[in-house]
Amino acid sequence: MERVRFAPSPTGPLHIGGLRTALFNYLYARKHKGVFILRVEDTDQNRKVEGSEDYIHESLKWCNIQPDEDPIRGGAYGPYRQSERREIYAQYIKELINNGKAYYAFDSNEELAFARTEAEKAKGAFKYNAYNRSEFKNSLTLSDEACTKLLQDGNYVVRLKVDADQEVVSSDLVRGIVRVNSNELEDKILMKKDGMPTYHFANVVDDHLMKITTVIRGEEWLPSLPIHQLLYDAFGWEAPQFMHLPLILNPSGKGKLSKRDGDKNGYPVFPMSWNESSGYKEKGFIPEAHINYIAQLGWSLGEKEILSLKEMEETFDVNAVQKGGARFDYEKAKWVNQQHLATLSVEELIKNYSSYFEELKMAVGGQLNAAIELIKERLVLLSDIEKESKCFINDPADYDAKSLKRIAKIDVSKVGALLTEGIKNNELGELKDFMQKSSEENDIGLGAFMQVLRVAVVGSLSGPNLIPLLTVIGKDVTLRRLDRLISEQS
């Protein structure tokens, strides 16, 4: 059975890139009828941010990306927080040391900083590896007696022993075979001085013990692949498949999508609000649309761009995941949201997003469904509901300047008087027929009637379908608004 995992660190809010990784893992699991796991990688306690783990859970829940196993639901391979697995890591670190695949290192931060500075002076990159490890204080260079004493002090790390002049071969489902010479690698730290494992070590141990079959993660982890392959080899374990997703790039310029660029250009980078930063939920995106767009960042959906979560589960294909970076496009994200909103019925909108319609319901009462039907096709975001509802709730506070300029050549008093008579003596649903007849009898273009009436009722020349709008707000409101325009423009 395919088993995949999303393994975020609780060091802050879930970024779009992290959400995309979670989504692809979820889709892969569902496509293969496998298991999707959420594992919290919280070994770096100094960087842990209060509330971020809860935020991750809530964000995935909002996006309908539900794990099968996680710290809350549990499962057969827990615990699912790395901070609760210290005894497991201690057991496996001893195995590596006993088999000569890892060693203790006692170098101080000052000694390492000095070595790094000297390497930079020589215009070289510092690497703690097979070519210089003999120059440092570790269990490979010190006597057993000296090591025992230093181990008692507890001031040590454990490093992976990487052999020199070896070709490390690993594979990636997106990029194919990856070959690296071991001389380019460091003897990575596996266990820190506080007894907690590093990402590399805990990641490999957990993936093996949780029977992960495919690792789907961001491209930024691709340089770690050779180290992870060496760890699998050191344990004699079969490595899972790997798939490294392309970077999500800024809309303009170079580099990864960042919160700074989002703040600067007015778009969120988080699914939900975090502290002072609003998220896509608060901006008015619906979760189905949000993940539909996120899925397009690195995966070619083909000709059909608007897909439900179920459709994405059925069609997800690793062969359609691209190598190159995916450029984020906020306008495209809004367009996708607009398409999804258009597919929702009025009943679905009321049921799922009732809080957006409370003021409108108070204004139109039993005409709520009719009002929503009129504004639904104009919605890009849920947050547009407030703006589009104004013409049902309040008389125009003022008139759009460009719209007033358009009707400046019209005799508003005469057209307004004819409209007033027509509204009083006809059903609102029959008003267009009246305007057509009055247009012919008075040699006034039908457009003049429509424009004056729309500006009077809405405040501008744009808005919902006019005659159905009038039937919702009623004759009294329509006449009051028309009378005000006539008074102000005469």
Side-chain angles (χ1 to χ4, degrees), residues 189-312:
I189 295 175
L190 305 179
M191 190 73 78
K192 296 176 285 188
K193 291 182 179 181
D194 62 2
M196 292 296 284
T198 60
Y199 163 81
H200 304 288
F201 182 67
N203 188 279
V204 168
V205 170
D206 287 345
D207 284 347
H208 174 73
L209 296 181
M210 294 180 183
K211 301 188 183 301
I212 301 302
T213 55
T214 304
V215 172
I216 303 172
R217 59 191 180 187
E219 183 182 297
E220 63 269 23
W221 296 113
L222 188 60
S224 302
L225 182 57
I227 290 294
H228 296 175
Q229 185 65 55
L230 286 173
L231 278 167
Y232 281 106
D233 294 343
F235 281 114
W237 297 337
E238 182 180 353
Q241 297 184 104
F242 289 93
M243 180 167 67
H244 290 85
L245 306 176
L247 295 175
I248 299 178
L249 305 175
N250 285 320
S252 58
K254 299 180 180 179
K256 290 173 59 176
L257 181 70
S258 67
K259 180 180 180 300
R260 178 180 297 178
D261 285 289
D263 291 342
K264 178 181 177 182
N265 297 306
Y267 55 81
V269 296
F270 307 137
M272 300 170 64
S273 64
W274 174 262
N275 295 336
E276 301 299 319
S277 299
S278 65
Y280 281 84
K281 180 181 180 182
E282 291 71 29
K283 284 286 186 180
F285 283 78
I286 62 174
E288 298 86 351
H290 185 46
I291 59 174
N292 186 181
Y293 177 67
I294 295 299
Q296 298 180 29
L297 297 173
W299 173 34
S300 176
L301 275 63
E303 294 182 3
K304 187 178 179 182
E305 292 187 280
I306 306 304
L307 297 175
S308 67
L309 181 58
K310 186 66 176 176
E311 289 173 317
M312 288 190 286

Side-chain angles (χ1 to χ4, degrees), residues 25-238:
N25 274 279
Y26 173 86
L27 295 176
Y28 186 89
R30 295 295 175 264
K31 174 69 179 289
H32 295 280
K33 296 179 171 54
V35 176
F36 171 55
I37 299 164
L38 172 65
R39 184 176 72 220
V40 178
E41 299 197 340
D42 59 346
T43 57
D44 193 342
Q45 294 292 301
N46 292 326
R47 295 181 61 225
K48 185 176 180 179
V49 175
E50 191 68 30
S52 59
E53 183 180 334
D54 290 339
Y55 177 89
I56 292 168
H57 285 288
E58 288 301 313
S59 294
L60 294 182
K61 182 180 178 181
W62 178 66
C63 292
N64 298 310
I65 304 173
Q66 296 288 6
D68 301 301
E69 302 171 17
D70 66 14
I72 297 173
R73 293 169 183 79
Y77 300 92
Y80 293 93
R81 291 188 188 91
Q82 289 185 337
S83 60
E84 299 171 3
R85 299 172 62 85
R86 290 184 63 156
E87 292 182 2
I88 297 172
Y89 304 132
Q91 171 190 340
Y92 284 95
I93 205 74
K94 286 180 181 178
E95 181 178 329
L96 286 184
I97 293 171
N98 292 337
N99 292 336
K101 302 297 185 179
Y103 60 93
Y104 298 107
F106 307 101
D107 313 287
S108 67
N109 293 335
E110 292 74 20
E111 289 168 330
L112 293 174
F114 177 78
R116 190 171 291 107
T117 300
E118 292 299 303
E120 290 172 355
K121 287 180 181 178
K123 297 184 179 180
F126 174 72
K127 291 185 180 68
Y128 195 123
N129 60 16
Y131 286 93
N132 64 4
R133 66 169 76 106
S134 61
E135 302 171 11
F136 295 98
K137 292 190 301 184
N138 52 63
S139 57
L140 302 178
T141 61
L142 300 174
S143 65
D144 290 345
E145 182 180 352
C147 281
T148 300
K149 184 178 183 304
L150 290 170
L151 285 171
Q152 290 174 346
D153 294 337
N155 193 22
Y156 63 88
V157 299
V158 177
R159 288 182 179 270
L160 176 66
K161 186 172 180 287
V162 181
D163 294 332
D165 304 314
Q166 302 294 313
E167 184 179 52
V168 183
V169 181
S170 49
S171 64
D172 180 85
L173 292 172
V174 176
R175 292 162 178 79
I177 299 298
V178 179
R179 302 177 186 273
V180 175
N181 189 290
S182 63
N183 298 338
E184 298 298 317
L185 305 175
E186 274 199 300
D187 289 359
K188 285 289 186 182
I189 295 175
L190 305 179
M191 190 73 78
K192 296 176 285 188
K193 291 182 179 181
D194 62 2
M196 292 296 284
T198 60
Y199 163 81
H200 304 288
F201 182 67
N203 188 279
V204 168
V205 170
D206 287 345
D207 284 347
H208 174 73
L209 296 181
M210 294 180 183
K211 301 188 183 301
I212 301 302
T213 55
T214 304
V215 172
I216 303 172
R217 59 191 180 187
E219 183 182 297
E220 63 269 23
W221 296 113
L222 188 60
S224 302
L225 182 57
I227 290 294
H228 296 175
Q229 185 65 55
L230 286 173
L231 278 167
Y232 281 106
D233 294 343
F235 281 114
W237 297 337
E238 182 180 353

